[in-house]
Amino acid sequence: MSTSSRPEADSLVGAIDQGTSSTRFLVFNAKTAELISQHQVEINQSFPKEGWVEEDPKEILQSVCECMERTSEKLIQLNINISNVKAIGVTNQRETTVVWDKETGEPLYNAIGDCSPLGPSVPIFCLQSPTSQPVWLDLRTQSTVEKLIKKTPGKNKNHLKDKTGLPISTYFSALKLRWLMDNIESVAEAVQTNRAVFGTVDSWLIWCLTGGKNGGVHCTDVTNASRTMLFNIHTMQWDPELCKYFDVPIEILPEVRSSSEIYGYMVCNEYCLGDQSAALVGQMCFKDGQAKNTYGTGCFMLKNTGVKPVMSDHGLLTTVAYKLGRDQPVYYALEGSVAIAGAVVRWLKENLGIIKSSSDIEKLAATAGTSYGCYFVPAFSGLYAPYWEPSARGIICGLTQFTNSSHLAFAALEAVCFQTREVLDAMNQDSGVPLSQLQVDGGMTANKLLMQLQADILCIPVVRPSMSETTALGAAMAAGAAEGVCVWTINPDGMTSVTSEKYQPKINPDGESSDQFFVPNNLELWLHLHKLTIPP
């Protein structure tokens, strides 16, 4: 953990970073962007059936409470007054779906308790849940997707793309909400009696932290709304036709706001950005053409396309990047989403047991220095960009008697890099202007072998900031810059420069390398293997 050892009198901004595999609360100096203190708690996932991925809402909310409490204690140990925290931003896993009862203040099937706050008299509500919520990786809606696509003209999965920027896919929230309404009796009953409200994780957390049933704010921001398939990215409103298409009552949806404005009050104010949009802001990709790639549970490359949405012809998503204020323009992005990145490391640890911790994979892969012809396509949740094929399944091939765990570990890292290469190629084709370097962030970027592999496979430099918590930083920036707070100035030309580490490609155009970790450019073979994962 990176913390400051000296007292800090400047204004501070907190950020709740609620991701798929962990929750963190981080506090930044609003003038210098220095990370002052943080705490992290891992989140468990359950897989009750093949293709199903669930998380316990109780654990998510309790993890937020614990992280805020522990970080507050660390600030006190640093002789920092927690009243210096002027605002709190929220960044979150985007498509994960929650439904709760607005009258009782309970998520369906749940009870409410109390948890420790940032300040002495601020209510933060904890959630008790005997059930779980569908996570963005979940595939249970595949049959629903197939039925909807069959009904569209020409059986076209891009039928709604003009309004949403998205293909009809298991990835997005509307399909998960539809499944809950069709299959969970208590959800259907609450919808029929006008008690149910829907939200992604940001909506649920903000509602709880601002009072829950006692005046909690039911809202989301434009970036999270744009991932539901119910939101028109041109009008910037919930779309009645889309709601009718999915048979979702528009009344259960949260109010949509900008990414940088006061939503409600705890001790501090709250603001919101979807996790990948927050990383784009944290990487200061404010200009048309700038891009970043985040390596977390999945892998997400976003390229700023300015104030006009660009529709992809090569399997990418068109999404809302950010709207930093009520009266500020909306910026859009092209996005390439990869379902499995860090999750493949977790699979090697939990399912195969070849590593004891996620950080062990770098050392294990380095002992081989090559995959020795072993290839790994981790299509555990189907294939996302650029294929959008939920029926795909993973494969490992090229095994010989010589193949061992180190080769498999290396192949897993290569898999992350090859998937990123596919997305980058699609992005370059859509934009017509190839990226000259790739800015990266996320937990996996601590793996230096992975970063060098990525530079070699992309054939362009990979740039990693020394402070890798750019997702939380982006949420803090949006919070601190909001009207009514104004402790953070978002001016790319005037901001403190961020030190970074650059990985140069070590493979020349002839495919030769002086480095011990020689990576042959077998992208064509990789593309062929991807096609083999899709059932005929």
Side-chain angles (χ1 to χ4, degrees), residues 167-178:
I168 301 172
S169 166
T170 60
Y171 185 20
F172 306 110
S173 304
L175 280 303
K176 297 176 176 63
L177 177 57
R178 184 66 261 161

Side-chain angles (χ1 to χ4, degrees), residues 69 71-82 118:
E69 181 180 8
T71 303
S72 298
E73 292 173 354
K74 293 173 184 178
L75 290 175
I76 292 171
Q77 291 172 2
L78 293 171
N79 296 321
I80 295 174
N81 191 331
I82 60 175
L118 242 191

Side-chain angles (χ1 to χ4, degrees), residues 2 43 145 252 276 283 323 398 465 481 531 536:
S2 173
I43 299 292
V145 169
I252 74 172
Q276 303 312 318
Q283 287 271 29
K323 176 179 168 62
K531 293 176 183 177

Side-chain angles (χ1 to χ4, degrees), residues 258-286:
S258 77
S259 308
S260 182
E261 63 177 88
I262 296 174
Y263 295 164
Y265 292 89
M266 215 169 41
V267 160
C268 304
N269 308 320
E270 294 182 84
Y271 315 82
C272 185
L273 274 171
D275 51 1
Q276 303 312 318
S277 294
L280 194 71
V281 171
Q283 287 271 29
M284 290 178 277
C285 295
F286 295 116

Side-chain angles (χ1 to χ4, degrees), residues 213-361:
K213 67 175 182 178
N214 298 314
V217 178
H218 185 216
C219 69
T220 189
D221 87 312
V222 292
T223 67
N224 283 291
S226 72
R227 311 296 292 192
T228 61
M229 294 207 80
L230 302 171
F231 187 72
N232 188 316
I233 64 172
H234 305 284
T235 65
M236 303 305 291
Q237 295 177 344
W238 298 120
D239 191 289
E241 292 183 357
L242 292 172
C243 290
K244 183 178 180 181
Y245 182 85
F246 290 102
D247 195 17
V248 170
I250 201 167
E251 295 79 18
I252 74 172
L253 305 180
E255 178 186 1
V256 181
R257 300 188 182 183
S258 77
S259 308
S260 182
E261 63 177 88
I262 296 174
Y263 295 164
Y265 292 89
M266 215 169 41
V267 160
C268 304
N269 308 320
E270 294 182 84
Y271 315 82
C272 185
L273 274 171
D275 51 1
Q276 303 312 318
S277 294
L280 194 71
V281 171
Q283 287 271 29
M284 290 178 277
C285 295
F286 295 116
K287 296 180 180 178
D288 188 346
Q290 291 183 313
K292 68 87 200 175
N293 197 36
T294 298
Y295 298 75
T297 300
C299 217
F300 303 90
M301 188 183 299
L302 268 71
K303 185 173 186 178
N304 190 327
T305 61
V307 295
K308 293 183 178 181
V310 175
M311 294 296 165
S312 173
D313 294 321
H314 298 91
L316 303 182
L317 308 177
T318 302
T319 195
V320 175
Y322 53 82
K323 176 179 168 62
L324 297 177
R326 295 180 183 178
D327 300 323
Q328 297 300 310
V330 177
Y331 280 78
Y332 296 89
L334 280 173
E335 176 175 337
S337 307
V338 172
I340 302 297
V344 73
V345 180
R346 190 169 183 169
W347 184 82
L348 292 176
K349 176 170 72 81
E350 296 181 358
N351 291 47
L352 298 191
I354 66 173
I355 52 175
K356 292 183 178 180
S357 69
S358 296
S359 60
D360 292 342
I361 192 170

Side-chain angles (χ1 to χ4, degrees), residues 399-440:
L399 303 178
T400 70
Q401 286 186 318
F402 181 70
T403 305
N404 59 36
S405 60
S406 62
H407 299 124
L408 184 58
F410 198 97
L413 297 183
E414 279 187 322
V416 176
C417 298
F418 278 129
Q419 290 178 106
T420 299
R421 171 64 186 266
E422 282 194 273
V423 169
L424 180 69
D425 287 348
M427 198 162 281
N428 287 339
Q429 288 178 295
D430 274 330
S431 66
V433 181
L435 282 177
S436 58
Q437 67 176 27
L438 182 63
Q439 294 172 238
V440 299

